[in-house]
Amino acid sequence: NAGTGQAPVLALASRFHIVNASMQLDLGHFDPLHLRVTADYAKNIGFDQGEIRERTGLNVTPKTSAYQTMFTVGNPDVWGRGNTSVFLGYRYVEPDAVVDAFTQANVLLGGTNAKGYMIGFNYGLDTNVWLRWRWLSANAIVGPPLAIDVLQGDLTLRF
C-alpha cells in the first residue's frame, strides 16, 4: 500500500503458531427446533515483534486475535422437505491472527483484517436437496477503508 499515506501492510511477516478454542451449545428443548450457539477464538502466539523488526525494519503492532460467533435457530438437519433454519453471526479476524490463505473466501473476498456479520437461512427442498441464502458484510479493521458486501445463494445436492 505504498503511496497511500497509511502504515505499510506486510504479508506473512509473522510466524504462525495458532492456539484455537471452539465451543458449541445446542439447546433442543423445543424439538424439532434447536437453538445453536457456536463460538471460536484463535490467537497467534508465534508473532514476534522483534523478529519482524529485524526482517522489515518496521515496528509492527501485534494484531493477532480472531473470533467468530454464530446463532442458529431451526431444524438442526435441513436435509428434508420443509426443514428450515436461520442464522446470524459475527466475525473479527486481525491481520496476523491466522494464515490468510485458510480464511473464508466470501468475507471481504478472502484474507484476514476483516470484521463483519453474516445473516441467512437454509431451506430443505427435498430429502437430498437444500438451499442457502446468506448476506455477508465486512469492513477492513486497519489500513485504507474497505467494505464489501456479498449476497450468496447455494443449492446443495446429496447423492
Side-chain angles (χ1 to χ4, degrees), residues 30-61:
F30 308 104
D31 198 39
L33 299 180
H34 287 238
L35 170 62
R36 187 175 293 159
V37 180
T38 58
D40 191 38
Y41 178 79
K43 177 78 173 169
N44 179 7
I45 60 172
F47 187 94
D48 184 335
Q49 196 170 18
E51 182 181 9
I52 293 171
R53 188 175 27 254
E54 286 176 20
R55 251 191 254 153
T56 66
L58 300 170
N59 192 20
V60 178
T61 304

Side-chain angles (χ1 to χ4, degrees), residues 24-94:
Q24 179 175 350
L25 175 64
D26 189 347
L27 303 172
H29 300 307
F30 308 104
D31 198 39
L33 299 180
H34 287 238
L35 170 62
R36 187 175 293 159
V37 180
T38 58
D40 191 38
Y41 178 79
K43 177 78 173 169
N44 179 7
I45 60 172
F47 187 94
D48 184 335
Q49 196 170 18
E51 182 181 9
I52 293 171
R53 188 175 27 254
E54 286 176 20
R55 251 191 254 153
T56 66
L58 300 170
N59 192 20
V60 178
T61 304
K63 297 201 181 310
T64 58
S65 296
Y67 64 88
Q68 178 172 301
T69 60
M70 183 77 72
F71 300 93
T72 306
V73 176
N75 296 94
D77 181 11
V78 293
W79 295 106
R81 185 182 303 265
N83 289 353
T84 61
S85 65
V86 295
F87 57 89
L88 172 66
Y90 183 79
R91 120 190 237 114
Y92 184 92
V93 182
E94 292 180 333

